[in-house]
Amino acid sequence: MKSSAPSAAAVRLGPVFALAAAGVAMSNLDLFIVNVALPVVGEHFEDAPLSRLSWILNAYAVVFAALLVPAGGLADRTGPRRAYLWGVAVFTLASALAALAPGVWALVAARVLQAAGAALLTPASLGLLLAAAPPDRRVGAVRGWTAVAGLAAALGPVAGGLLTALDWRWVFLVNLPVGLLVLLAGPRVLPAAPPAGGPRPDLTGAGVLTAAIALLALGLVKAEDWGWTSASTLGVLAASAVLACWFAARSARHPAPVVPPALLRTPSFAPATLANLLFSVAFAAMLLASVLWAQTGWGWSALRTGWAIAPGPLMVPGLALGAAPLVRRIGPGAVAALGCVVFAAGNLWWFAALTPDPAYLTAFLPGMLLTGVGVGLTLPTLVSAAVSVLPAGSFATGSAVVTMARQIGSVLGVAALVAVLGTAPGTGDFDHGWLFITAATAATGAAALTLTTRPRNG
């Protein structure tokens, strides 16, 4: 992937943003687009059981979360442009292999490769964007990047339903033209930002961190099958905790740790990352609960459910970009806390208004619009608060830590919601779910209010 590329000082931000956002939109779409196609995939592969099909989803989530931070460190040390193009190439190839998969386990293997590509391209894309944006435009660029990524993820169910109506393989084939476009235009458009260099990275530490996150995700996603108090679940979670402690101790003394301790001491970075994790718990649980309510409570199809959810995500991009003046005026903590109040109000609306009788306009839609406003105010603000304070040499690593925290939060949110609802939830069980989501949102708001640093620009 060698070619002449403009320097960071010579690029135009618009084309760089378009190419960086394209790869991230592609990878975020795949976090949710496959859910709708899963039953059809099972029918195609001789009625494969759900226990086997679930790994088409779980393998992607586990590997994506586990590799984000090591991939971010790699992008910082080799240069974000090279890491991004390699990530897009791996993701595009894996998408083609998934579409051609002859069986479930071949599809799972392709999803693992997809997740590896997504983990490499995601932090590198933000590193490219931050390198290309002048200081007075970085916060706005990050908000736009977050808006595109969030919209792609949230519209996944709708896109999955539409593509599955053609053929389930199209949920993977749709990535090919986007990936090829980035690979063709990227070498000439993306800035050749210099790598951070430095000593050899802690490869052992990267392996320990990867194993710790993978085991944590495995334990959470399999706890319902194994039992929360089973030896398997407790053993996997205990092993994850031991490895995490080992990683922390190793990072404290290694000359080139995967996650530099100094990064966590950067003002606003640690509390903003914690707030991102907590809000992802609430957001992932809300999205799953609303889908389950529409499909199990009202008996709607997956495609109809996707369209019912779409108005919420459509609120996000405009708010993500339009809230920047408010952030400059009152600070990111206050804006994120305000978003949490609105997001919680949407869940409390559902708690009070939803009944077994379908009433989309008066019961479901108001809650979806409120949660959409809450996401638009909260998520881009928290991501911007975390990454806008990073030093230039840690853009990719820092953004990877934030994205990893969001992925872990999503896994926690889904697992906790399933535990609250049970395996066969009735409509009354959802009341406990809405209250759990509200509690997680309140915790996010409390964490957000600890952010005292205001971006100097937005």
Side-chain angles (χ1 to χ4, degrees), residues 162-184:
L162 292 170
L163 293 170
T164 303
L166 300 174
D167 188 290
W168 68 265
R169 299 182 189 275
W170 276 104
V171 303
F172 301 109
L173 291 173
V174 71
N175 296 323
L176 270 61
V178 178
L180 291 175
L181 175 63
V182 172
L183 292 174
L184 289 173

Side-chain angles (χ1 to χ4, degrees), residues 33 50 53 92 133 201 261 264 278 324 346 409 412 444 450 453:
I33 195 172
L50 184 60
L53 292 173
T92 304
L264 300 179
L278 292 172
L412 283 168
T444 306
T450 66
T453 302

Side-chain angles (χ1 to χ4, degrees), residues 107-190:
L107 181 52
V108 170
R111 290 283 283 169
V112 167
L113 190 61
Q114 259 193 328
L120 186 57
L121 72 87
T122 298
S125 70
L126 191 52
L128 280 169
L129 191 59
L130 292 172
D136 63 336
R137 299 182 64 185
R138 280 179 183 163
V139 173
V142 171
R143 296 186 72 88
W145 181 90
T146 306
V148 171
L151 181 62
L155 290 180
V158 177
L162 292 170
L163 293 170
T164 303
L166 300 174
D167 188 290
W168 68 265
R169 299 182 189 275
W170 276 104
V171 303
F172 301 109
L173 291 173
V174 71
N175 296 323
L176 270 61
V178 178
L180 291 175
L181 175 63
V182 172
L183 292 174
L184 289 173
R188 289 181 288 273
V189 173
L190 298 176

Side-chain angles (χ1 to χ4, degrees), residues 32-45:
F32 299 100
I33 195 172
V34 182
N35 297 54
V36 175
L38 208 61
V40 178
V41 173
E43 294 173 3
H44 178 85
F45 291 127

Side-chain angles (χ1 to χ4, degrees), residues 75-80 193-198 392-394:
D76 277 334
R77 289 177 170 88
T78 64
S394 298

